[in-house]
Amino acid sequence: MDRYALVCRTILEHPKATQRDMAQILEFSLGTVNSLVKECLSRGQISLSEDGSYQVTEAGLEFLEQYRVDGALIIAAGFGSRFVPLTFETPKGLLEVFGERMIERQIRQLLQVGIHNITIVVGYLKEKFEYLIDKYDVKLLYNKEYSSKNTLTTIYHAREILRGKNMYLLSSDNWMRENMFHTYECGSWYSSVFKEGETSEWCFSFNKKGKIQRVEIGGRDAWVMYGPVFLTASWLDAYLPVLEAYYHLPGTEQFYWEHVYMELINGMAQKRLAEAGIGFVEGCPVSRLPELAQKAGLSVNRQPSTQVYEFENLEELRVFDAKYQNHSDNQAMELVSQVLGVPESEIHNIRCLKSGMTNKSFLFQVSEKQYICRIPGPGTGLLINRRQEGDVFEAVKPLDITEHIIYFNRETGYKIAEYYEGARNADPESWEDLERCMALLKRLHGCEIQLDHSFDIRERILFYENLCKSHGDIPFEDYEEVRGRMFSLMDYLDKLHRPETISHIDSCVDNFLFLPDGRLKLIDWEYSGMCDPLIDIAMCAIYSYFDDEKTDHLIEVYFQRKPSLEEQLVVYSYVALGGFLWSLWAIYKSALGEEFGEYTIIMYRYAKGYYRKIAKLHKS
């Protein structure tokens, strides 16, 4: 930190400040301030007016210009899983604290000190931030890798915005009580608060001059990285080339940008890059990275415990802002409160469950019992008939094979169900598990329950095909050829006049729950309807990514015997058709902004591979 610049800045911001005032503001001794003021006077950077106050001169303003803040980069791409269900609807940075959105509070604080060049890196629910462009004249930068990688990648994609500039680096979900931004910053720093006891935060040690010497994740009774960061152009010049090298290294996908800084300053970056065969970073030998680490030094900007807040979860936000105790303005929380007859403040231990391909769910606790609330995902109202789903729940209730449903809304699809502590999903590698799963399916198929609706795979394929085409082209090069083959399979099945029973359709291993008491439950009946029961064997096989051998064995497990040729061909046909159907489903969901990686290709390969298998059997 340039102490002379700090004195000039303090006089600019506090024109009537005495030396004693400056000592308090800067947390310097009065003697140190006295020496600095004398030097600034001798340099002509400040002057003493007749009333005894100090003023910054033209020379002082010219001196400060090198420290002018060029702008701010605000990270707002992440999901905020610890704030579900609020973040299912609203990005964390757009949540309100005392009636003010956290990101807007930071933007206003930046504008107050004349910082107008503000870029927000967005990802999850990116459209929610669009209004800020008009309201504050900010810019948005989309990070396409937000869902699979961490903030190292965020900074990598924003590196050209940072390069060569003096920039604040902020998180959209931070809340600062007082405005801690300045028009001029006199050196790179990381905001810090002191944490008593054990902490999992990023802890650091620093020298007498306040320079950070070493960083460790976790510690005890330590100063920790917490809140805003300011980075000078020279700091970024040293740091960004190393970050760029890390971005291309395997195994760094979940790194925070601070991981790179930590390894650089701790002396680990040299080893990591050398082991990856990288000898130079921007022309600098990796052997000289310790010199870069010195150049990329950060100072600690110590803050009182009441100044900076990084809310870790909804429980912490409730303590800070009483509004969230009973009025979160969140549909799911209001529903749980109403259904269970408790105020929102009694809904605890909220955490995100792994988002399904169709829905989002969160786990919560009321009193001593745990529940799951299911929230339908984007576009599912078009894909799933919730009234029919409700009919299925009523129909299979006497079988006692579903989860215990507390609440189900046939209009919205919201569902609240009992959570089974200690339950596990079926293991696709365990044939003992799969034998029980197939036995449960066979019991379902033989129960003689009749529904008023069917699962018509031809109708569903045409439905998803039209949805895909309405949102763009279907990307497979040989789609028309494969489509023709799938329709020939459906024609073949129609001619067989196969029997129909109630079928689950979504019979993946994740929907089979093994309870601690030995019971087996089958959950998620969204697609269920009257259909050829053999479709459930096929769906279980493709959801488990089974190869030919495992699929054949699964068929035998279901029948408890060798299948007939017709039975084998029917299951194979549904494997092909199921793969084709779900590949279209994934293409449509991708058009809505949800991505499922290689799932689309795997499903399409089932369609093509099993058609060829069927063709060979027909020839033989």
Side-chain angles (χ1 to χ4, degrees):
M1 289 285 182
D2 188 320
R3 293 187 168 197
Y4 303 112
L6 285 172
V7 168
C8 292
R9 186 186 76 182
T10 303
I11 292 170
L12 267 183
E13 294 177 347
H14 306 276
K16 299 296 183 181
T18 65
Q19 288 192 22
R20 191 171 298 278
D21 294 332
M22 284 187 259
Q24 186 175 1
I25 292 167
L26 295 172
E27 296 183 353
F28 292 166
S29 70
L30 186 58
T32 298
V33 170
N34 181 263
S35 298
L36 292 171
V37 167
K38 285 182 178 178
E39 181 63 25
C40 288
L41 284 167
S42 69
R43 292 181 178 189
Q45 293 166 345
I46 63 173
S47 62
L48 186 62
S49 61
E50 292 183 0
D51 64 0
S53 63
Y54 295 100
Q55 293 179 331
V56 179
T57 65
E58 287 297 324
L61 291 173
E62 186 177 340
F63 167 63
L64 278 176
E65 197 59 30
Q66 63 187 305
Y67 299 108
R68 181 179 291 277
V69 179
D70 295 307
L73 183 76
I74 305 178
I75 298 174
F79 168 49
S81 61
R82 287 176 290 186
F83 272 77
V84 297
L86 275 60
T87 47
F88 285 148
E89 301 174 1
T90 306
K92 187 177 173 185
L94 293 181
L95 295 178
E96 292 184 357
V97 177
F98 300 125
E100 182 181 31
R101 287 180 159 177
M102 286 188 279
I103 194 171
E104 288 199 46
R105 181 179 181 84
Q106 291 188 72
I107 293 171
R108 280 192 281 267
Q109 288 174 334
L110 289 165
L111 294 176
Q112 284 169 12
V113 297
I115 298 170
H116 297 272
N117 178 21
I118 302 169
T119 300
I120 304 170
V121 186
V122 296
Y124 173 69
L125 293 180
K126 59 186 181 299
E127 294 82 5
K128 294 278 189 177
F129 294 93
E130 190 275 338
Y131 79 99
L132 295 170
I133 299 173
D134 297 315
K135 190 169 184 179
Y136 298 108
D137 195 28
V138 301
K139 295 179 282 291
L140 302 186
L141 174 69
Y142 177 59
N143 173 14
K144 63 182 178 182
E145 296 184 287
Y146 79 91
S147 63
S148 59
K149 297 184 180 181
N150 219 315
T151 60
L152 183 159
T153 300
T154 304
I155 302 303
Y156 175 82
H157 289 301
R159 64 195 186 282
E160 297 307 324
I161 292 171
L162 296 168
R163 200 184 304 278
K165 299 183 181 70
N166 300 324
M167 297 287 286
Y168 284 116
L169 180 57
L170 312 174
S171 295
S172 66
D173 53 7
N174 285 172
W175 189 91
M176 277 73 73
R177 187 177 299 278
E178 303 296 334
N179 190 345
M180 57 190 290
F181 304 130
H182 302 277
T183 306
Y184 305 98
E185 288 288 358
C186 308
S188 299
W189 52 257
Y190 206 123
S191 172
S192 175
V193 298
F194 189 78
K195 292 286 186 180
E196 294 184 354
E198 295 290 335
T199 179
S200 59
E201 298 284 353
W202 294 59
C203 307
F204 52 80
S205 58
F206 52 93
N207 62 20
K208 292 180 179 180
K209 293 184 177 180
K211 285 280 189 179
I212 297 173
Q213 300 293 293
R214 187 170 182 83
V215 179
E216 304 287 346
I217 301 175
R220 182 179 181 83
D221 298 329
W223 287 92
V224 302
M225 293 177 163
Y226 208 75
V229 185
F230 176 74
L231 305 172
T232 64
S234 59
W235 191 97
L236 288 163
D237 285 345
Y239 169 81
L240 287 177
V242 183
L243 177 131
E244 290 172 332
Y246 266 64
Y247 172 81
H248 296 288
L249 294 179
T252 61
E253 293 82 6
Q254 296 308 314
F255 272 26
Y256 293 93
W257 72 265
E258 291 94 339
H259 274 103
V260 181
Y261 171 69
M262 177 179 70
E263 295 201 354
L264 186 59
I265 199 169
N266 289 359
M268 299 161 59
Q270 180 179 357
K271 181 181 177 183
R272 182 184 291 274
L273 293 171
E275 288 177 347
I278 298 175
F280 293 85
V281 176
E282 288 282 300
C284 174
V286 295
S287 60
R288 294 183 60 192
L289 283 184
E291 296 176 31
L292 276 182
Q294 291 300 317
K295 190 177 179 183
L298 281 177
S299 295
V300 53
N301 186 348
R302 287 173 286 186
Q303 296 294 319
S305 60
T306 57
Q307 164 61 8
V308 181
Y309 291 85
E310 291 184 357
F311 303 107
E312 292 296 322
N313 49 50
L314 181 55
E315 302 284 350
E316 287 190 7
L317 188 53
R318 280 174 171 172
V319 173
F320 193 72
D321 185 348
K323 164 198 167 182
Y324 287 96
Q325 292 180 14
N326 291 310
H327 301 287
S328 63
D329 294 328
N330 177 263
Q331 185 176 355
M333 291 292 287
E334 291 172 356
L335 175 64
V336 170
S337 174
Q338 179 183 351
V339 170
L340 298 182
V342 296
E344 287 187 28
S345 58
E346 294 186 22
I347 305 169
H348 291 289
N349 295 330
I350 305 166
R351 52 195 187 276
C352 185
L353 294 178
K354 184 179 180 181
S355 293
M357 288 186 167
T358 306
N359 306 300
K360 301 171 182 176
S361 302
F362 67 96
L363 181 66
F364 64 93
Q365 182 176 331
V366 172
S367 298
E368 298 302 316
K369 295 200 68 174
Q370 294 192 83
Y371 305 87
I372 295 174
C373 180
R374 181 193 75 184
I375 301 172
T380 53
L382 181 65
L383 309 181
I384 294 169
N385 188 315
R386 298 299 181 183
R387 290 186 176 277
Q388 291 179 352
E389 184 184 6
D391 292 342
V392 173
F393 282 132
E394 290 298 322
V396 300
K397 194 173 182 178
L399 299 179
D400 193 29
I401 61 175
T402 70
E403 71 269 46
H404 179 208
I405 297 170
I406 309 297
Y407 169 87
F408 180 78
N409 189 307
R410 291 170 180 252
E411 298 295 330
T412 65
Y414 274 75
K415 181 178 72 174
I416 300 174
E418 181 180 345
Y419 176 73
Y420 297 102
E421 186 71 40
R424 66 174 179 85
N425 300 116
D427 181 357
E429 299 300 318
S430 168
W431 286 108
E432 182 180 346
D433 279 8
L434 291 171
E435 284 175 9
R436 290 196 61 190
C437 294
M438 291 301 102
L440 180 58
L441 285 176
K442 202 163 188 180
R443 179 187 167 202
L444 173 68
H445 299 154
C447 70
E448 299 184 353
I449 288 175
Q450 295 292 312
L451 299 172
D452 291 334
H453 67 275
S454 298
F455 180 85
D456 184 337
I457 198 163
R458 185 189 295 269
E459 180 273 334
R460 288 289 89 184
I461 285 173
L462 290 171
F463 174 73
Y464 284 116
E465 182 182 65
N466 287 332
L467 283 178
C468 290
K469 289 181 177 179
S470 69
H471 285 74
D473 196 18
I474 297 173
F476 297 115
E477 290 287 335
D478 57 355
Y479 177 75
E480 290 301 325
E481 178 184 354
V482 174
R483 180 185 189 275
R485 291 173 176 175
M486 294 303 105
F487 275 77
S488 70
L489 290 181
M490 289 186 284
D491 292 341
Y492 162 72
L493 291 173
D494 288 344
K495 291 175 183 176
L496 294 177
H497 300 290
R498 293 279 306 165
E500 288 191 346
T501 69
I502 181 173
S503 301
H504 187 271
I505 309 300
D506 198 15
S507 48
C508 69
V509 289
D510 287 345
N511 285 336
F512 290 93
L513 287 186
F514 285 82
L515 275 52
D517 61 9
R519 289 180 296 161
L520 178 61
K521 297 287 186 180
L522 181 56
I523 63 173
D524 289 351
W525 296 73
E526 294 168 304
Y527 298 97
S528 181
M530 300 299 290
C531 192
D532 185 334
L534 299 192
I535 195 172
D536 281 344
I537 308 172
M539 295 302 185
C540 184
I542 64 176
Y543 290 145
S544 301
Y545 294 177
F546 276 0
D547 59 19
D548 292 359
E549 183 180 349
K550 287 184 177 180
T551 299
D552 286 341
H553 188 54
L554 187 68
I555 297 171
E556 292 186 15
V557 168
Y558 176 85
F559 284 110
Q560 292 294 293
R561 59 172 171 78
K562 290 280 187 182
S564 67
L565 178 60
E566 180 180 303
E567 289 167 336
Q568 198 173 20
L569 287 170
V570 168
V571 175
Y572 288 173
S573 296
Y574 282 122
V575 168
L577 292 168
F580 189 70
L581 172 68
W582 300 128
S583 66
L584 289 172
W585 176 90
I587 290 169
Y588 169 64
K589 296 290 278 186
S590 178
L592 297 181
E594 295 189 68
E595 187 56 56
F596 300 107
E598 62 181 354
Y599 176 83
T600 313
I601 293 175
I602 291 173
M603 291 297 110
Y604 198 63
R605 295 305 301 173
Y606 273 120
K608 297 171 75 171
Y610 270 80
Y611 177 83
R612 288 193 292 267
K613 194 175 181 70
I614 293 165
K616 287 181 181 178
L617 283 173
H618 275 302
K619 287 180 181 178
S620 62

